[in-house]
Amino acid sequence: MATVLGHFTSRDGYLENNEYVVTWAIGHLVELAEPEDYNGQLKKWTMDTLPIIPAQFKLKRNPKTAKQFKIVKQLINRPDIEQLICATDAGREGELIFRYIYRLAGCRKPFMRLWLSETTPAAVLKGFNELRPGAEFNRLAAAAEARSRADWLIGINATRSFTVRHNTLLSIGRVQTPTLALIVNREREIKNFVPEPFWELYAEFSKNDGQLYVGRWFKGEQNRFKDQQEARAVQARVDVQPATVLEVEEKDIAELPPLLFNLNELQKEANKKYGLSAARTLDLAQSLYETRKLLTYPRTDSRHITMELAKTIPERLSALADVEEYMHYAIAAKLAGVPGKRYVDDGKVSDHTALIPTNVKPNLDNLSPDERKIYDLVVRRFLAIFYPPAKYKQTKVITEATGETFLTTGRVEMDRGWKAVYAPVENKPGEYGEASMIPDLNQGEAVQITNTEIKEKETRPPKRFTEASLLAVMEGAGKLMEDQELKAAMKKHGLGTPATRSAIIETLIKRSYIERQKKTLIPTTKGETLIDLVPYIIKNPELTGQWEKTLADIEKGMANPEEFMAGIRKLATEMVELARNQTASNQVQTNREPLGKCPLCGRAVIEGKKGYGCSGYKEGCKFVIWKEIAGKKITENQAKELIQKGESGLIKGFKSKAGKKFDAALILGQGGKVELKFNAKGSSNA
């Protein structure tokens, strides 16, 4: 910025010339005061001092950057400086950084706002020519302060109360805890999942000229068999039988270019394609925006550009046309003209437009490998919007033999369209029965079944979250809500914001609540314990989603920040009471919801490392259901059913000592012993 405004002399913590003094914040120079800053006795964590709800929030210097704050304070209060220009990041957090510094420094001088979506020299000069009164951003500042104070109240009170109650440090946050709950709940779905076998039947059909195609059996909505014998019976009925083509349907499919990137979509794509973390992607995009001047402002939630910005498209394409690997696509894009309302829509742009390349010619050799990857993703997504749809011919064939029907589907690419901007991709053959090429067939045509095959498969558990899939769920948290009216209202609001979601994930990792295992995110024992201990209201994404919506409404002037804070103060008080009334848990363990009551003593049965046992084991209760019985793993759901009903359903896959597989149910025998129950052979001790 300083290089655009003229020659500056470098000073200690600032730059100066005849017209401007430029200084900077190193992150948050000012933060909300800690409880002990209000009262020294609050340094000690006790239930008696909770809830902590300041009548007036105080600010303090960040001790790590106290020297820079002192410099900034002296500068903004210098007598010869008549007006300030706020040039922090053009968003909620950037506004908060400035307002906190301004207030703690005791400044009363007027200030203007520099609002940039890109930091190219032309954009900076234009921004300085169009400075806006600081008061225009008072609503944004109100939302930023409300968010900051809400996080303080919830974080301080919830963390202290649950930590003191359970004698274990339990860090609780407005966004981080419901995000952790998503990961923990998914892991438990996976652990409790019981795979079920199923069978699919495929038939190979031959035309009179010898051409072959394959179809998968279906009947109505059903395309698999739960019983192998039933599949074999159908197979025997159709094998080597004449068949007839009942239906041939061909459709021309047009696949439009994807929307432009916002931060969330860029982070998802970078994680899927390159395994980059959300935080790393944000850092790279910020560097490409701030230092390299090659991308527009990255912390955006919009996937559209404005009509005004669309006027600058030719110069952006000209910059790309000077780079060999983009030259061909950029020249073609220039000839295509301005894209339509799918991409250019003022009504769908909030503070910042979608993430696109600037008009600065890139020197790709100067970029780090990871910077180049992120830049390439944004550039190709931008170039793709000028290209026509990708076109496919989709074919569906239904063939009938002895009253049984088989489905064959295929898709052939006719025109790559926008996909030409990306590296050529070969057509991959589909699943057996889903060929890319299908011979010409006519309705009523006679064919012959030449071969059949039964494939045994089993149902699969849901997949663990990657950062890409977690970001998608965080962004669309409104979809998790049951209240339809709230769901509609929450359509554009989720857990956190595009600018904060990566930091939330990193915080959970830093605090050892989750771990990265390659691309997947897995909860730790500590993380599971926290989710078990906190009440539903804290880990419910609906609450945080409502807050995000209200904060957005405060920015628009549609909600009152004081009413919002009154609700937060009430919730902080309620959470302390919830913690105060909980039964203390003095050890970190994976104590999930009780599976039921112990049949011997009536206490709760909980999951341990090797079995599902009575929580009264220290008092001498010996009841346990081992996690592995006769070579078969017993799931939590099966154990729960056994405890609550006295008998489980039929469980498949036990092994005898001789290694032979058998099926049986579990029952609770005399004295709480777990026994096997056979269909026709009585029971046997487990």
Side-chain angles (χ1 to χ4, degrees):
M1 186 180 297
T3 55
V4 177
L5 297 177
H7 178 71
F8 281 80
T9 302
S10 181
R11 310 286 190 197
D12 184 14
Y14 67 101
L15 306 169
E16 187 170 3
N17 67 9
N18 292 332
E19 190 175 358
Y20 296 104
V21 173
V22 178
T23 189
W24 46 86
I26 308 167
H28 287 261
L29 297 184
V30 177
E31 55 193 25
L32 289 174
E34 295 295 330
E36 54 267 33
D37 296 320
Y38 294 89
N39 183 335
Q41 293 181 347
L42 294 177
K43 189 166 186 177
K44 186 177 181 182
W45 291 25
T46 66
M47 274 291 188
D48 294 340
T49 58
L50 298 173
I52 301 169
I53 302 177
Q56 295 291 328
F57 280 89
K58 295 180 181 179
L59 298 174
K60 72 169 188 175
R61 293 176 301 172
N62 182 335
K64 295 178 183 176
T65 53
K67 180 187 174 185
Q68 183 62 18
F69 174 75
K70 185 178 179 182
I71 291 168
V72 173
K73 181 179 178 180
Q74 288 172 343
L75 289 172
I76 64 178
N77 288 311
R78 232 168 68 173
D80 60 324
I81 292 177
E82 298 174 354
Q83 178 180 268
L84 308 182
I85 298 173
C86 170
T88 51
D89 264 3
R92 193 191 285 171
E93 285 309 294
E95 195 68 24
L96 185 72
I97 287 170
F98 171 76
R99 297 292 179 124
Y100 276 0
I101 292 171
Y102 183 84
R103 192 175 306 152
L104 190 61
C107 189
R108 296 291 183 271
K109 294 176 183 178
F111 64 91
M112 303 293 283
R113 187 57 156 109
L114 176 68
W115 194 262
L116 298 178
S117 285
E118 49 191 337
T119 57
T120 61
V124 171
L125 286 173
K126 187 172 184 288
F128 268 88
N129 287 328
E130 298 174 356
L131 291 173
R132 296 157 68 180
E136 277 189 27
F137 298 88
N138 284 347
R139 293 201 303 258
L140 179 65
E145 289 195 36
R147 193 280 308 156
S148 174
R149 293 172 178 181
D151 284 350
W152 191 96
L153 285 170
I154 298 302
I156 293 289
N157 287 290
T159 296
R160 287 195 174 203
S161 58
F162 284 93
T163 294
V164 171
R165 188 63 183 143
H166 301 292
N167 199 29
T168 300
L169 180 59
L170 298 170
S171 175
I172 295 168
R174 177 180 67 90
V175 180
Q176 76 174 45
T177 304
T179 302
L180 174 60
L182 290 172
I183 300 169
V184 169
N185 292 339
R186 174 61 60 86
E187 189 67 18
R188 290 178 176 178
E189 282 181 57
I190 294 167
K191 286 180 179 176
N192 294 334
F193 183 81
V194 182
E196 295 180 358
F198 64 90
W199 292 264
E200 293 177 341
L201 173 61
Y202 294 88
E204 181 185 73
F205 299 94
S206 174
K207 284 168 57 79
N208 289 336
D209 61 5
Q211 290 187 78
L212 303 174
Y213 68 97
V214 174
R216 182 169 69 175
W217 176 90
F218 78 99
K219 187 173 186 178
E221 297 296 316
Q222 183 185 348
N223 60 9
R224 59 179 63 174
F225 298 92
K226 292 184 179 179
D227 183 272
Q228 187 178 17
Q229 295 307 316
E230 187 183 346
R232 286 178 176 169
V234 175
Q235 181 185 34
R237 203 156 53 242
V238 301
D239 201 21
V240 201
Q241 292 296 315
T244 304
V245 177
L246 284 186
E247 183 183 324
V248 178
E249 183 183 286
E250 288 188 340
K251 278 185 183 176
D252 290 328
I253 305 294
E255 185 181 339
L256 293 170
L259 293 176
L260 294 164
F261 279 125
N262 60 16
L263 177 59
N264 212 66
E265 290 299 315
L266 178 64
Q267 288 171 320
K268 284 156 59 177
E269 189 71 13
N271 184 251
K272 285 178 195 170
K273 192 165 184 178
Y274 300 119
L276 294 171
S277 72
R280 175 68 175 151
T281 297
L282 175 55
D283 287 345
L284 292 164
Q286 190 74 18
S287 170
L288 289 164
Y289 158 71
E290 213 168 65
T291 308
R292 307 289 190 182
K293 321 294 185 192
L294 294 176
L295 293 184
T296 56
Y297 184 70
R299 297 167 188 261
T300 176
D301 60 358
S302 177
R303 302 190 69 184
H304 296 77
I305 60 175
T306 60
M307 289 292 292
E308 189 64 27
L309 187 140
K311 295 174 185 175
T312 68
I313 283 174
E315 57 199 74
R316 296 169 196 268
L317 291 174
S318 293
L320 296 173
D322 285 339
V323 182
E324 186 177 349
E325 61 188 83
Y326 303 132
M327 182 187 302
H328 171 73
Y329 308 116
I331 292 170
K334 271 189 175 184
L335 296 174
V338 177
K341 197 171 173 83
R342 175 173 166 82
Y343 307 101
V344 183
D345 188 340
D346 288 16
K348 292 185 178 177
V349 177
S350 50
D351 292 333
H352 297 282
T353 66
L355 191 48
I356 62 172
T358 66
N359 62 2
V360 174
K361 179 187 172 183
N363 184 339
L364 300 182
D365 292 336
N366 287 347
L367 303 182
S368 71
D370 282 350
E371 281 179 327
R372 194 162 176 171
K373 287 172 184 173
I374 296 302
Y375 183 67
D376 187 71
L377 284 176
V378 175
V379 167
R380 292 187 191 275
R381 179 66 68 96
F382 174 64
L383 291 170
I385 72 173
F386 300 95
Y387 277 70
K391 293 181 180 177
Y392 301 88
K393 186 176 286 295
Q394 186 169 290
T395 307
K396 182 177 87 170
V397 177
I398 297 175
T399 312
E400 182 268 335
T402 64
E404 303 294 341
T405 49
F406 295 81
L407 175 67
T408 306
T409 60
R411 190 167 95 153
V412 179
E413 187 176 77
M414 309 302 289
D415 183 350
R416 284 189 63 72
W418 61 270
K419 293 190 176 181
V421 173
Y422 295 85
V425 179
E426 294 180 8
N427 278 330
K428 294 181 181 178
E431 176 103 24
Y432 191 23
E434 295 181 359
S436 59
M437 296 294 290
I438 300 172
D440 287 333
L441 294 164
N442 297 306
Q443 187 173 344
E445 183 175 347
V447 293
Q448 176 71 35
I449 292 181
T450 54
N451 190 30
T452 57
E453 181 182 0
I454 292 174
K455 288 195 169 188
E456 182 176 353
K457 299 182 180 181
E458 64 178 23
T459 54
R460 295 179 181 178
K463 291 182 178 179
R464 286 191 173 102
F465 281 118
T466 61
E467 286 197 45
S469 60
L470 181 62
L471 286 168
V473 173
M474 290 175 77
E475 182 183 38
K479 295 175 186 175
L480 306 174
M481 300 173 188
E482 295 179 7
D483 185 303
Q484 293 304 312
E485 190 175 329
L486 182 60
K487 194 178 219 177
M490 284 294 302
K491 197 171 183 182
K492 293 184 180 178
H493 307 280
L495 287 172
T497 65
T500 61
R501 287 175 191 135
S502 59
I504 292 299
I505 295 170
E506 293 303 318
T507 296
L508 290 171
I509 292 170
K510 184 180 176 182
R511 291 177 175 163
S512 300
Y513 289 141
I514 64 173
E515 294 175 343
R516 274 196 192 95
Q517 289 190 8
K518 295 183 178 177
K519 280 190 177 183
T520 61
L521 301 171
I522 297 173
T524 62
T525 297
K526 185 179 178 183
E528 292 200 46
T529 300
L530 174 62
I531 293 305
D532 284 334
L533 292 176
V534 298
Y536 179 71
I537 193 169
I538 300 176
K539 57 193 175 190
N540 178 13
E542 186 169 314
L543 176 69
T544 299
Q546 285 177 308
W547 285 355
E548 292 296 348
K549 181 184 182 304
T550 305
L551 289 169
D553 286 344
I554 291 171
E555 286 184 28
K556 298 171 190 170
M558 296 166 58
N560 186 324
E562 278 310 309
E563 289 179 9
F564 172 75
M565 289 308 301
I568 296 294
R569 287 191 287 269
K570 182 173 180 287
L571 180 63
T573 303
E574 289 172 356
M575 285 194 301
V576 170
E577 287 308 305
L578 284 167
R580 187 175 277 125
N581 294 325
Q582 268 191 342
T583 302
S585 171
N586 292 318
Q587 56 182 344
V588 177
Q589 56 183 350
T590 55
N591 49 329
R592 304 174 179 177
E593 293 292 327
L595 279 68
K597 290 184 178 180
C598 173
L600 301 183
C601 70
R603 294 187 182 90
V605 175
I606 57 174
E607 182 180 355
K609 284 187 178 179
K610 294 184 178 180
Y612 310 96
C614 179
S615 57
Y617 68 95
K618 287 185 177 178
E619 287 74 35
C621 186
K622 306 259 188 216
F623 176 75
V624 65
I625 303 167
W626 298 114
K627 284 190 174 178
E628 185 169 309
I629 296 174
K632 174 69 179 177
K633 288 185 178 178
I634 307 303
T635 68
E636 184 176 335
N637 283 340
Q638 289 166 339
K640 188 182 290 186
E641 185 179 26
L642 175 60
I643 294 162
Q644 295 176 358
K645 297 180 180 178
E647 182 173 338
S648 74
L650 187 69
I651 299 173
K652 298 184 177 183
F654 290 107
K655 279 186 182 178
S656 68
K657 290 180 181 178
K660 188 176 179 182
K661 284 191 175 182
F662 63 93
D663 304 335
L666 297 177
I667 62 169
L668 290 179
Q670 192 172 6
K673 283 188 177 180
V674 181
E675 302 176 345
L676 294 171
K677 177 183 176 184
F678 299 90
N679 288 338
K681 298 181 181 178
S683 62
S684 166
N685 284 348

